Short mmCIF file of all heavy atoms in Angstrom, two decimals:
data_model
loop_
_atom_site.label_atom_id
_atom_site.label_comp_id
_atom_site.label_asym_id
_atom_site.label_seq_id
_atom_site.Cartn_x
_atom_site.Cartn_y
_atom_site.Cartn_z
N VAL A 1248 92.90 87.11 97.47
CA VAL A 1248 93.35 85.76 97.06
C VAL A 1248 94.06 85.85 95.71
O VAL A 1248 95.10 85.21 95.51
CB VAL A 1248 92.16 84.79 97.01
CG1 VAL A 1248 92.55 83.46 96.40
CG2 VAL A 1248 91.59 84.58 98.41
N ASP A 1249 93.52 86.64 94.79
CA ASP A 1249 94.18 86.82 93.47
C ASP A 1249 95.54 87.46 93.62
O ASP A 1249 96.48 87.06 92.94
CB ASP A 1249 93.30 87.66 92.55
CG ASP A 1249 92.07 86.91 92.06
OD1 ASP A 1249 92.04 85.67 92.18
OD2 ASP A 1249 91.14 87.56 91.58
N LEU A 1250 95.69 88.44 94.48
CA LEU A 1250 96.99 89.10 94.70
C LEU A 1250 98.00 88.16 95.32
O LEU A 1250 99.18 88.12 94.91
CB LEU A 1250 96.82 90.35 95.55
CG LEU A 1250 96.10 91.53 94.88
CD1 LEU A 1250 95.89 92.65 95.89
CD2 LEU A 1250 96.90 92.03 93.69
N VAL A 1251 97.57 87.37 96.29
CA VAL A 1251 98.47 86.40 96.94
C VAL A 1251 98.88 85.35 95.92
O VAL A 1251 100.05 84.94 95.86
CB VAL A 1251 97.81 85.77 98.19
CG1 VAL A 1251 98.63 84.62 98.72
CG2 VAL A 1251 97.61 86.83 99.25
N ALA A 1252 97.94 84.87 95.12
CA ALA A 1252 98.22 83.87 94.08
C ALA A 1252 99.21 84.43 93.05
O ALA A 1252 100.18 83.75 92.67
CB ALA A 1252 96.94 83.41 93.40
N ALA A 1253 99.00 85.65 92.65
CA ALA A 1253 99.92 86.27 91.70
C ALA A 1253 101.32 86.46 92.32
O ALA A 1253 102.34 86.24 91.63
CB ALA A 1253 99.37 87.65 91.27
N ALA A 1254 101.35 86.82 93.59
CA ALA A 1254 102.65 86.94 94.25
C ALA A 1254 103.37 85.61 94.32
O ALA A 1254 104.59 85.52 94.12
CB ALA A 1254 102.47 87.54 95.66
N CYS A 1255 102.64 84.54 94.63
CA CYS A 1255 103.21 83.20 94.67
C CYS A 1255 103.74 82.78 93.30
O CYS A 1255 104.85 82.21 93.20
CB CYS A 1255 102.22 82.17 95.19
SG CYS A 1255 101.90 82.25 96.96
N LEU A 1256 102.95 83.01 92.28
CA LEU A 1256 103.36 82.67 90.93
C LEU A 1256 104.58 83.43 90.49
O LEU A 1256 105.52 82.90 89.90
CB LEU A 1256 102.22 82.88 89.95
CG LEU A 1256 101.03 81.90 90.08
CD1 LEU A 1256 99.86 82.36 89.25
CD2 LEU A 1256 101.46 80.51 89.66
N ALA A 1257 104.61 84.74 90.81
CA ALA A 1257 105.76 85.58 90.43
C ALA A 1257 107.01 85.16 91.21
O ALA A 1257 108.10 85.05 90.63
CB ALA A 1257 105.44 87.06 90.68
N ALA A 1258 106.87 84.92 92.50
CA ALA A 1258 108.01 84.50 93.31
C ALA A 1258 108.53 83.13 92.85
O ALA A 1258 109.73 82.91 92.77
CB ALA A 1258 107.65 84.47 94.78
N GLY A 1259 107.60 82.21 92.55
CA GLY A 1259 108.00 80.89 92.05
C GLY A 1259 108.72 81.01 90.73
O GLY A 1259 109.72 80.32 90.50
N GLY A 1260 108.24 81.87 89.84
CA GLY A 1260 108.93 82.08 88.57
C GLY A 1260 110.31 82.68 88.78
O GLY A 1260 111.26 82.28 88.11
N PHE A 1261 110.44 83.63 89.74
CA PHE A 1261 111.76 84.18 90.05
C PHE A 1261 112.71 83.12 90.53
O PHE A 1261 113.87 83.06 90.10
CB PHE A 1261 111.62 85.30 91.06
CG PHE A 1261 112.92 85.79 91.59
CD1 PHE A 1261 113.74 86.62 90.82
CD2 PHE A 1261 113.37 85.39 92.83
CE1 PHE A 1261 114.97 87.04 91.29
CE2 PHE A 1261 114.59 85.81 93.32
CZ PHE A 1261 115.40 86.62 92.56
N PHE A 1262 112.27 82.27 91.47
CA PHE A 1262 113.17 81.26 92.02
C PHE A 1262 113.54 80.24 90.96
O PHE A 1262 114.66 79.74 90.97
CB PHE A 1262 112.53 80.59 93.24
CG PHE A 1262 112.67 81.42 94.49
CD1 PHE A 1262 111.55 81.97 95.08
CD2 PHE A 1262 113.91 81.65 95.06
CE1 PHE A 1262 111.66 82.74 96.21
CE2 PHE A 1262 114.03 82.43 96.20
CZ PHE A 1262 112.92 82.96 96.80
N CYS A 1263 112.61 79.89 90.06
CA CYS A 1263 112.95 78.96 88.98
C CYS A 1263 113.96 79.59 88.04
O CYS A 1263 114.92 78.93 87.61
CB CYS A 1263 111.68 78.58 88.21
SG CYS A 1263 110.62 77.43 89.06
N LEU A 1264 113.80 80.86 87.72
CA LEU A 1264 114.74 81.54 86.85
C LEU A 1264 116.11 81.67 87.52
O LEU A 1264 117.15 81.37 86.93
CB LEU A 1264 114.22 82.94 86.50
CG LEU A 1264 115.10 83.76 85.55
CD1 LEU A 1264 115.19 83.09 84.18
CD2 LEU A 1264 114.53 85.16 85.41
N ALA A 1265 116.13 82.07 88.80
CA ALA A 1265 117.40 82.20 89.52
C ALA A 1265 118.07 80.86 89.67
O ALA A 1265 119.31 80.75 89.52
CB ALA A 1265 117.16 82.86 90.88
N GLY A 1266 117.32 79.81 89.96
CA GLY A 1266 117.93 78.48 90.08
C GLY A 1266 118.44 77.99 88.76
O GLY A 1266 119.48 77.35 88.68
N GLY A 1267 117.72 78.27 87.68
CA GLY A 1267 118.20 77.86 86.33
C GLY A 1267 119.52 78.58 85.95
O GLY A 1267 120.43 77.97 85.41
N ILE A 1268 119.59 79.85 86.29
CA ILE A 1268 120.85 80.58 86.05
C ILE A 1268 121.95 80.00 86.93
O ILE A 1268 123.08 79.84 86.49
CB ILE A 1268 120.65 82.09 86.33
CG1 ILE A 1268 119.73 82.68 85.26
CG2 ILE A 1268 121.99 82.82 86.37
CD1 ILE A 1268 119.26 84.09 85.54
N GLY A 1269 121.61 79.63 88.19
CA GLY A 1269 122.58 79.02 89.07
C GLY A 1269 123.11 77.70 88.56
O GLY A 1269 124.30 77.41 88.65
N VAL A 1270 122.21 76.89 87.98
CA VAL A 1270 122.64 75.61 87.42
C VAL A 1270 123.66 75.84 86.29
O VAL A 1270 124.63 75.10 86.14
CB VAL A 1270 121.44 74.79 86.93
CG1 VAL A 1270 121.87 73.60 86.10
CG2 VAL A 1270 120.63 74.31 88.12
N LEU A 1271 123.44 76.86 85.52
CA LEU A 1271 124.35 77.16 84.41
C LEU A 1271 125.62 77.84 84.84
O LEU A 1271 126.69 77.58 84.24
CB LEU A 1271 123.64 78.06 83.39
CG LEU A 1271 122.45 77.44 82.64
CD1 LEU A 1271 121.79 78.49 81.78
CD2 LEU A 1271 122.90 76.25 81.82
N ARG A 1272 125.58 78.66 85.85
CA ARG A 1272 126.73 79.53 86.15
C ARG A 1272 127.58 79.07 87.38
O ARG A 1272 128.72 79.51 87.48
CB ARG A 1272 126.25 80.95 86.46
CG ARG A 1272 125.43 81.57 85.35
CD ARG A 1272 126.18 82.44 84.47
NE ARG A 1272 127.07 83.29 85.22
CZ ARG A 1272 127.91 84.09 84.65
NH1 ARG A 1272 127.97 84.17 83.36
NH2 ARG A 1272 128.73 84.84 85.36
N LEU A 1273 127.03 78.27 88.27
CA LEU A 1273 127.80 77.90 89.45
C LEU A 1273 128.94 76.98 89.09
O LEU A 1273 128.83 76.19 88.15
CB LEU A 1273 126.88 77.31 90.51
CG LEU A 1273 125.93 78.32 91.16
CD1 LEU A 1273 124.92 77.64 92.05
CD2 LEU A 1273 126.71 79.35 91.97
N PRO A 1274 130.03 77.01 89.86
CA PRO A 1274 131.27 76.39 89.42
C PRO A 1274 131.38 74.86 89.62
O PRO A 1274 132.06 74.20 88.87
CB PRO A 1274 132.35 77.06 90.26
CG PRO A 1274 131.64 77.48 91.50
CD PRO A 1274 130.25 77.82 91.06
N ASP A 1275 130.71 74.28 90.62
CA ASP A 1275 130.96 72.87 90.88
C ASP A 1275 129.64 72.11 91.05
O ASP A 1275 128.56 72.71 91.11
CB ASP A 1275 131.83 72.70 92.14
CG ASP A 1275 131.18 73.19 93.38
OD1 ASP A 1275 130.87 74.40 93.44
OD2 ASP A 1275 130.95 72.41 94.30
N PHE A 1276 129.75 70.80 91.10
CA PHE A 1276 128.60 69.92 91.14
C PHE A 1276 127.71 70.20 92.33
O PHE A 1276 126.48 70.23 92.18
CB PHE A 1276 129.11 68.46 91.16
CG PHE A 1276 128.02 67.47 91.41
CD1 PHE A 1276 127.17 67.11 90.38
CD2 PHE A 1276 127.85 66.88 92.64
CE1 PHE A 1276 126.14 66.20 90.59
CE2 PHE A 1276 126.83 65.96 92.86
CZ PHE A 1276 125.97 65.62 91.84
N PHE A 1277 128.28 70.36 93.52
CA PHE A 1277 127.47 70.53 94.71
C PHE A 1277 126.72 71.85 94.73
O PHE A 1277 125.58 71.93 95.17
CB PHE A 1277 128.35 70.41 95.96
CG PHE A 1277 128.89 69.00 96.13
CD1 PHE A 1277 130.19 68.71 95.76
CD2 PHE A 1277 128.10 67.99 96.61
CE1 PHE A 1277 130.69 67.43 95.89
CE2 PHE A 1277 128.58 66.72 96.75
CZ PHE A 1277 129.89 66.43 96.38
N SER A 1278 127.31 72.91 94.19
CA SER A 1278 126.62 74.21 94.09
C SER A 1278 125.48 74.10 93.07
O SER A 1278 124.38 74.62 93.30
CB SER A 1278 127.58 75.29 93.65
OG SER A 1278 128.58 75.47 94.60
N ARG A 1279 125.72 73.43 91.99
CA ARG A 1279 124.70 73.25 90.98
C ARG A 1279 123.53 72.37 91.48
O ARG A 1279 122.39 72.61 91.17
CB ARG A 1279 125.28 72.62 89.73
CG ARG A 1279 126.18 73.59 88.98
CD ARG A 1279 126.80 72.94 87.77
NE ARG A 1279 127.66 73.91 87.10
CZ ARG A 1279 128.39 73.64 86.05
NH1 ARG A 1279 128.40 72.43 85.58
NH2 ARG A 1279 129.14 74.59 85.53
N LEU A 1280 123.90 71.37 92.29
CA LEU A 1280 122.89 70.51 92.90
C LEU A 1280 121.98 71.30 93.84
O LEU A 1280 120.77 71.11 93.86
CB LEU A 1280 123.58 69.36 93.62
CG LEU A 1280 122.71 68.25 94.12
CD1 LEU A 1280 122.01 67.56 92.96
CD2 LEU A 1280 123.58 67.24 94.88
N HIS A 1281 122.59 72.23 94.56
CA HIS A 1281 121.77 73.09 95.44
C HIS A 1281 120.85 73.96 94.64
O HIS A 1281 119.66 74.12 95.00
CB HIS A 1281 122.73 73.97 96.29
CG HIS A 1281 122.02 74.99 97.10
ND1 HIS A 1281 121.24 74.68 98.17
CD2 HIS A 1281 121.96 76.33 96.96
CE1 HIS A 1281 120.74 75.78 98.68
NE2 HIS A 1281 121.16 76.82 97.96
N ALA A 1282 121.32 74.54 93.55
CA ALA A 1282 120.46 75.38 92.70
C ALA A 1282 119.33 74.56 92.12
O ALA A 1282 118.18 75.04 92.05
CB ALA A 1282 121.30 76.01 91.62
N ALA A 1283 119.60 73.34 91.68
CA ALA A 1283 118.54 72.51 91.14
C ALA A 1283 117.49 72.15 92.20
O ALA A 1283 116.31 72.08 91.92
CB ALA A 1283 119.16 71.26 90.55
N GLY A 1284 117.95 71.94 93.41
CA GLY A 1284 117.01 71.65 94.48
C GLY A 1284 116.11 72.85 94.79
O GLY A 1284 114.94 72.69 95.12
N ILE A 1285 116.69 74.04 94.69
CA ILE A 1285 115.89 75.26 94.91
C ILE A 1285 114.81 75.39 93.85
O ILE A 1285 113.67 75.79 94.14
CB ILE A 1285 116.80 76.53 94.91
CG1 ILE A 1285 117.71 76.50 96.12
CG2 ILE A 1285 115.99 77.80 94.87
CD1 ILE A 1285 117.01 76.59 97.44
N ILE A 1286 115.13 75.06 92.61
CA ILE A 1286 114.16 75.15 91.53
C ILE A 1286 112.94 74.29 91.85
O ILE A 1286 111.80 74.73 91.80
CB ILE A 1286 114.76 74.71 90.18
CG1 ILE A 1286 115.82 75.68 89.71
CG2 ILE A 1286 113.68 74.55 89.13
CD1 ILE A 1286 116.59 75.19 88.51
N ASP A 1287 113.20 73.02 92.22
CA ASP A 1287 112.07 72.12 92.45
C ASP A 1287 111.36 72.38 93.75
O ASP A 1287 110.16 72.33 93.83
CB ASP A 1287 112.58 70.66 92.42
CG ASP A 1287 112.87 70.19 91.01
OD1 ASP A 1287 112.36 70.81 90.07
OD2 ASP A 1287 113.59 69.19 90.88
N THR A 1288 112.13 72.62 94.83
CA THR A 1288 111.49 72.73 96.12
C THR A 1288 110.79 74.07 96.28
O THR A 1288 109.60 74.12 96.61
CB THR A 1288 112.54 72.57 97.24
OG1 THR A 1288 113.21 71.33 97.05
CG2 THR A 1288 111.90 72.58 98.59
N LEU A 1289 111.49 75.16 96.04
CA LEU A 1289 110.90 76.47 96.31
C LEU A 1289 110.19 77.02 95.10
O LEU A 1289 109.05 77.48 95.21
CB LEU A 1289 112.02 77.43 96.76
CG LEU A 1289 111.58 78.76 97.36
CD1 LEU A 1289 110.70 78.53 98.57
CD2 LEU A 1289 112.79 79.56 97.77
N GLY A 1290 110.79 76.96 93.94
CA GLY A 1290 110.18 77.55 92.76
C GLY A 1290 108.88 76.82 92.37
O GLY A 1290 107.83 77.44 92.25
N ALA A 1291 108.97 75.52 92.18
CA ALA A 1291 107.78 74.74 91.78
C ALA A 1291 106.75 74.75 92.93
O ALA A 1291 105.54 74.76 92.68
CB ALA A 1291 108.16 73.33 91.43
#
């Protein structure tokens, strides 16, 4: 259970980081909106 919880926390942190980078680096509104949705839905 501890290993699965740690994997979920690490994966969630990765998706939040990747989504945050996407919000900063993606070129248009719709792409950034998708990245922001990934942060909240998958990362959180």
Side-chain angles (χ1 to χ4, degrees):
V1248 172
D1249 287 344
L1250 289 174
V1251 171
C1255 286
L1256 290 168
F1261 170 76
F1262 281 112
C1263 285
L1264 182 65
I1268 292 170
V1270 168
L1271 294 174
R1272 304 262 317 175
L1273 289 172
D1275 63 299
F1276 172 76
F1277 293 101
S1278 298
R1279 290 178 180 175
L1280 190 61
H1281 173 70
I1285 293 296
I1286 292 172
D1287 284 342
T1288 305
L1289 193 57

